[in-house]
Amino acid sequence: MEIAVCIKRVPLLGSAIVLTPDGMAIDTSKLGFGLSPHEECAVEAAVQLVEANGGSVTLFSMGHVDGEEQIRDQLAIGADRAVLIDTNGVEPDPQAAASALAEAISTEDTTFDLVIMGSESADYGGSQTGIRVAHKLGLPVVTSVKGLKIEGGVATCERAVGSIREVYTVTLPAVITVRDGLNIPRYASVPGRMKARKKSVDIKQVTFDEPRITTKKFTIPDREAKGATSLGSGDEAAAALVDVLKQIGVLT
Amino acid sequence: MILVYVDHDRGEIDPISLQAISAATALDPDVQAVIVGHGGKELAGEIAAYGATAIHAGHHVDLFDFTPRAHARAVHSLIEKNSPRAVLAGGTPRGNEVLSHVAALMDAPFASECVSIVLTGADRADIVRARWAGNMLEEAVVVAPVLIASVQAHSFTAVAAAAPLSLTEFEVPLSEGDVLVRVQDRVGSSAGGVGLAEAKVVVSGGRGMDGPDAFSMLEDIAGVLGGAVGCSRVVTSAGWRPHAEQVGQTGTKVAPDLYIACGISGATQHIAGCKSSKTLIAINTDAQAPIMGFADYVVVDNVHTFLPLLIEKLKAANQK
Ligand SMILES: Cc1cc2nc3c(=O)[nH]c(=O)nc-3n(C[C@H](O)[C@H](O)[C@H](O)COP(=O)(O)OP(=O)(O)OC[C@H]3O[C@@H](n4cnc5c(N)ncnc54)[C@H](O)[C@@H]3O)c2cc1C
């Protein structure tokens, strides 16, 4: 089974987002980078499928060339090779991003049985790239999947809707977008990390389509300063907490 | 005219769709709604009560439960026929999915998760949309003759504004590719996750619980208060609790009357899932932990020694 997985490097935020003075970006000078949990689960699912069925996993990532480090982390857990589309510091809008990804996926020598992506990116949260890529590739798409089984070329996908799960089936080739909780991503082993150093990461340059959604600036929504009341600690705090629960009516 | 895609589940209307109708009414009093699938047309009265002047109910022999691309086809056919200035939907997984298909069919932009929309010209709109699950906002300009946008849940208030009922039924023009992906089956809730999103009280644990065993204390508290147990991602990725209990950006978003955070630091991605709680109580050994800044009440203590004291007092209070 030949699987393509799309991943995106994002800053690992702490407890607050700090913007650059011009409000055009997050100040990442003090931040590390990683992937969204959705995409970590996407890579884990692909590696498990290839372990069970044979084949290979190719990663596609779009972003800053420094993202090679996060790509190598995923090669270390078992992906075979990667293509990094260099954005040259420009953030394409979702339409342009999907076109560039679809182009990169379809111009590979490998024909993919499955394209796995996160249901939405951690930062942009557009919820549309997987669907747009599917349309460009002429493939069916199942989104927000939290349970996945593939047998005889048919994928059975579950997704959570409120407290029930919907079941979808789709014949491969297909695009599937997944959510955190699909699996528990493994940690890279030391031999895995050694092997990852030798795996190929092709860097591609592309010209993006003109954006149709243009960012003017970012802002951070006002966080209500609540001025927490301290209840202290120990026995006295436990009694005070029970009083609070009575006051707000959750304990009668 | 503004067209709104109204989502429903077997005849139960999605409340965020009603918020989208009110958001549309603020842009143009001429708001029409499209609803697709089994049980949809029965909701026309409820939709009209929020101000939709015309309701289009799409049907087809092949349509029963949710079929994303077919729903998009229904929306797209109405766009071609009635030329709306904008198409809106609720910023829910389904609303975003249907509008993504519509945008892909038209090769048009789609601004998801908007908290503000202003139409500034024949093909321009100023929008503000949520990034990082609402922890950051993006002000942007969208250039498109038909604006396609979803509204972030609870950013707009659904306001009743009765319009006379005008219902038209139409057959959705479907091709084979539109019904390939559809709900084939529905199965019961996954263990443990029952009602987390709707619970009035959520008792959540994080890394500070130090393992799965201490969660039995949170189950006890949730039991007394009639609530659900939640947790942070550290907890689910360690396998201490099922993912159905994870609160946050990539877990469940909750809005209970009371959220109790035990041994949770308050990372932005966790806060994204619990910031709509009416009252937040944090229990943490570190008085400087970020969660303390979001809390209404804080207890600076060790969960392993404090929670047994609390349970004792709760049980005593409950017996009275
Ligand atoms: C894109 C993205 C999406 C994410 N989505 C989510 C999400 O949906 N949900 C989520 O939760 N996280 C999410 N995360 C992870 C998030 O960034 C944090 O890593 C996580 O929330 C931290 O969990 P925690 O608070 O349990 O652990 P920590 O941050 O390690 O905090 C543990 C806290 O427990 C306290 N503590 C320790 N011992 C005790 C004790 N004995 N008694 C009392 N207090 C104690 C400590 O003082 C500390 O404050 C996401 C991350 C990314 C990058």
Side-chain angles (χ1 to χ4, degrees), chain A residues 10-13 35-37 122 180, chain B residues 132 205-210 231-235 246-251 262-270 283-286 289 291 301-304:
Chain A
V10 294
L12 295 174
L13 306 175
L35 298 187
S36 161
D180 188 12
Chain B
W132 287 102
R207 192 198 300 271
M209 300 303 288
D210 291 321
C231 66
S232 73
R233 183 159 200 275
V234 165
V235 170
Q246 182 179 313
V247 171
Q249 177 172 348
T250 58
C262 306
I264 291 177
S265 65
T268 44
Q269 299 93 354
H270 187 83
I283 304 166
N284 200 302
T285 41
D286 177 7
I291 189 83
D301 207 340
N302 184 328
V303 289
H304 301 288

Side-chain angles (χ1 to χ4, degrees), chain A residues 1-8 38-50 56-60 101 105 112-119 129-130 133 137 139 141-142 145 148 150 155 172 174-179 182-183:
Chain A
M1 193 179 295
E2 296 301 328
I3 306 178
V5 183
C6 300
I7 59 176
K8 182 177 187 183
H38 297 327
E39 292 143 43
E40 289 176 355
C41 289
V43 178
E44 176 65 37
V47 170
Q48 284 181 15
L49 284 167
V50 164
S56 73
V57 178
T58 307
L59 304 175
F60 290 85
L101 274 175
I105 292 169
F112 295 101
D113 303 299
L114 182 59
V115 179
I116 311 183
M117 308 180 57
S119 59
T129 308
V133 166
L137 298 176
L139 297 177
V141 54
V142 185
V145 169
L148 174 64
I150 298 184
L172 303 189
V175 175
I176 294 179
T177 79
V178 301
R179 292 192 68 81
L182 175 67
N183 50 44

